[in-house]
Amino acid sequence: MIITPDLVFLNNPRTGTTFARKAISAAYASRVEPLSCAVRELSLPIQRGHGQSGHDQHGTYVQIPARYRGLPVASAVRNPFTLLVAVYELGLWRPSVLPTDPTGELDRHGADAFEYFLRSQELAMAPRWGVPFGRSGFGPLSAHYLQMFAKAPLAAFRAVAQGADDDTVEGHIAPVQFVQQERLAADLCELLKRLEADVDLEAIRHHPPSHVTRRSQVWTRDCFTAEMVDRIEQREAFLFRSLARRGLVYTFDNAVFAQPQRRSTAPAT
């Protein structure tokens, strides 16, 4: 996460937050000397589920230091379909120990297949978050969303495990202002203008892209079968609904892919 005089920005993985934190730092750089007085980047213990270790820059809402809790909090989100592509192509999801799949689905796909990735994510839910996959509409991306932005993640996951309705689970989510990866520079500028931050917005508008996963650039809408689309919409229904409540309506049809040409299958890795 980064701390500025005007806001705390949480670096939600694979949503453009590497660009965001660099662009925000650049926006403050020309207005404040030294920059370290204005922008602090925090590397914090990884707390995005059980079994995680080490430190990184992707701190969650509950890890915001107490002295900064009075600042507005912002982060980035993106269309769940392109988010899944980015996570898949980054490759860090691959299990070190082959999971046991009682449905046998893993055995029906090669270890590099997108379907294998989806099923591996689902099997990892119980050990990682204590919520077995199968709760209607609450999949791995929804669990990550709660872990990142809930005021008390353990209580939020208990509510999900007990079958709480959307309103109850929503009550656990902190007041976070979201910018969209699909229009990140423009949204960041609008956010900082709303906060009346004394920064150089042109530094954001002209900042170069960061951490573009090359393999994700070859995907098209046609890489998804109808079954994949239905599966993702059903398993992540909570996330789609929660973002829509905040005016961020994501669908498969409005997912933005880099390539316009048609493909019949997901790219081979």
Side-chain angles (χ1 to χ4, degrees):
M1 73 177 66
I2 63 172
I3 313 290
T4 80
D6 304 292
L7 82 160
V8 176
F9 193 88
L10 303 179
N11 299 322
N12 188 18
R14 312 312 301 166
T15 62
T17 50
T18 297
F19 168 88
R21 73 176 192 270
K22 289 181 178 180
I24 290 171
S25 294
Y28 279 93
S30 63
R31 302 296 172 88
V32 180
E33 283 291 337
L35 177 61
S36 59
C37 295
V39 178
R40 294 185 60 203
E41 292 198 35
L42 303 185
S43 180
L44 299 164
I46 299 174
Q47 292 186 2
R48 298 185 302 281
H50 303 299
Q52 309 292 299
S53 61
H55 291 64
D56 68 11
Q57 72 275 21
H58 300 294
T60 67
Y61 180 85
V62 296
Q63 291 179 284
I64 298 172
R67 63 184 176 278
Y68 301 118
R69 285 292 177 89
L71 288 172
V73 179
S75 189
V77 293
R78 71 187 293 179
N79 190 301
F81 287 98
T82 62
L83 174 57
L84 283 168
V85 169
V87 174
Y88 167 71
E89 291 294 0
L90 186 63
L92 298 180
W93 59 271
R94 300 180 188 279
S96 56
V97 178
L98 190 66
T100 300
D101 184 5
T103 71
E105 182 179 357
L106 289 182
D107 296 331
R108 297 194 294 272
H109 301 289
D112 290 329
F114 190 67
E115 294 91 338
Y116 190 100
F117 157 69
L118 293 175
R119 183 59 180 153
S120 295
Q121 276 197 321
E122 293 161 5
L123 292 171
M125 278 194 65
R128 185 170 182 182
W129 288 294
V131 180
F133 179 73
R135 291 287 176 188
S136 178
F138 195 87
L141 295 186
S142 300
H144 170 80
Y145 175 76
L146 270 193
Q147 182 74 72
M148 281 294 300
F149 305 118
K151 293 173 283 189
L154 289 178
F157 287 127
R158 279 197 298 270
V160 172
Q162 293 166 3
D165 61 20
D166 274 12
D167 287 341
T168 300
V169 180
E170 283 285 344
H172 290 275
I173 299 175
V176 177
Q177 300 181 56
F178 290 117
V179 295
Q180 295 180 272
Q181 180 265 352
E182 295 82 4
R183 40 166 291 141
L184 192 50
D187 276 7
L188 286 173
C189 289
E190 290 176 11
L191 172 66
L192 290 168
K193 282 198 293 186
R194 285 200 307 272
L195 297 176
E196 299 182 347
D198 182 19
V199 296
D200 178 11
L201 297 181
E202 289 302 309
I204 294 176
R205 295 187 181 103
H206 295 104
H207 200 78
S210 300
H211 282 198
V212 177
T213 306
R214 291 183 180 179
R215 288 289 307 168
S216 66
Q217 300 301 296
V218 304
W219 280 69
T220 74
R221 185 169 284 101
D222 296 299
C223 295
F224 289 82
T225 65
E227 291 76 14
M228 288 179 190
V229 173
D230 288 344
R231 178 180 191 160
I232 293 164
E233 288 176 342
Q234 291 174 20
R235 82 172 201 178
E236 303 297 350
F238 171 79
L239 177 59
F240 283 105
R241 291 194 300 263
S242 184
L243 294 176
R245 284 185 177 215
R246 291 158 175 80
L248 307 173
V249 178
Y250 284 120
T251 66
F252 179 66
D253 288 338
N254 68 21
V256 179
F257 294 95
Q259 297 296 327
Q261 74 268 23
R262 298 182 64 85
R263 285 179 184 266
S264 59
T265 60
T269 57

